[in-house]
Amino acid sequence: MDHVYRVTEIVGSSSNSVDEAIRHGIGRATQTLRNVDWFEVTEIRGSVQDDQLTYFQVGMKVGFRLEDG
Protein backbone atom coordinates (compact mmCIF):
# COMPACT_ATOMS: atom_id res chain seq x y z
CA MET A 1 0.00 0.00 0.00
CA ASP A 2 1.22 3.51 -0.81
CA HIS A 3 1.40 6.07 1.98
CA VAL A 4 1.62 9.83 2.28
CA TYR A 5 3.65 11.29 5.12
CA ARG A 6 3.80 14.62 6.86
CA VAL A 7 7.14 15.67 8.34
CA THR A 8 7.61 17.81 11.43
CA GLU A 9 10.74 18.92 13.24
CA ILE A 10 11.34 18.42 16.96
CA VAL A 11 14.24 18.73 19.41
CA GLY A 12 14.77 16.12 22.12
CA SER A 13 17.01 16.85 25.08
CA SER A 14 18.79 14.98 27.87
CA SER A 15 21.45 15.60 30.47
CA ASN A 16 22.69 12.00 30.03
CA SER A 17 23.19 11.09 26.36
CA VAL A 18 22.34 11.63 22.70
CA ASP A 19 20.47 8.31 22.70
CA GLU A 20 18.30 9.42 25.61
CA ALA A 21 17.62 12.78 23.93
CA ILE A 22 16.35 10.92 20.85
CA ARG A 23 14.19 8.64 22.97
CA HIS A 24 12.73 11.59 24.91
CA GLY A 25 11.89 13.41 21.68
CA ILE A 26 10.29 10.42 19.95
CA GLY A 27 8.50 9.36 23.13
CA ARG A 28 6.88 12.76 23.45
CA ALA A 29 6.08 13.01 19.72
CA THR A 30 4.23 9.68 19.80
CA GLN A 31 2.02 10.98 22.62
CA THR A 32 0.76 13.74 20.30
CA LEU A 33 1.12 12.33 16.77
CA ARG A 34 -0.45 9.16 15.40
CA ASN A 35 1.22 6.81 12.91
CA VAL A 36 4.84 7.88 13.55
CA ASP A 37 6.90 5.64 11.28
CA TRP A 38 10.38 7.14 11.08
CA PHE A 39 12.81 9.82 12.25
CA GLU A 40 15.98 11.40 10.93
CA VAL A 41 18.58 13.09 13.14
CA THR A 42 19.39 16.45 11.54
CA GLU A 43 21.64 18.00 14.17
CA ILE A 44 23.29 17.34 17.51
CA ARG A 45 24.14 20.09 19.96
CA GLY A 46 25.56 20.08 23.45
CA SER A 47 26.30 22.37 26.32
CA VAL A 48 29.64 22.64 28.09
CA GLN A 49 30.07 24.19 31.54
CA ASP A 50 33.27 24.19 33.57
CA ASP A 51 34.96 22.00 30.94
CA GLN A 52 32.25 19.31 31.34
CA LEU A 53 29.60 18.16 28.89
CA THR A 54 26.31 18.97 30.62
CA TYR A 55 23.47 18.68 28.12
CA PHE A 56 22.55 17.15 24.76
CA GLN A 57 20.01 18.42 22.23
CA VAL A 58 19.10 16.40 19.14
CA GLY A 59 17.18 17.97 16.24
CA MET A 60 15.05 15.47 14.33
CA LYS A 61 12.62 15.24 11.47
CA VAL A 62 9.73 12.93 12.33
CA GLY A 63 7.58 11.32 9.64
CA PHE A 64 4.02 10.30 10.38
CA ARG A 65 1.57 8.64 8.02
CA LEU A 66 -1.50 10.64 7.05
CA GLU A 67 -4.72 8.76 7.62
CA ASP A 68 -6.93 7.87 4.67
CA GLY A 69 -10.02 9.97 3.93
Side-chain angles (χ1 to χ4, degrees), residues 7-20:
V7 177
T8 191
E9 293 189 56
I10 64 170
V11 176
S13 60
S14 168
S15 58
N16 294 319
S17 69
V18 169
D19 181 69
E20 188 172 277

Side-chain angles (χ1 to χ4, degrees), residues 34-58:
R34 290 191 303 268
N35 305 317
V36 173
D37 282 350
W38 57 268
F39 73 95
E40 172 187 354
V41 172
T42 57
E43 58 186 329
I44 298 172
R45 290 186 296 274
S47 176
V48 177
Q49 293 179 348
D50 298 323
D51 299 327
Q52 298 293 316
L53 186 60
T54 58
Y55 219 74
F56 301 89
Q57 287 187 329
V58 178

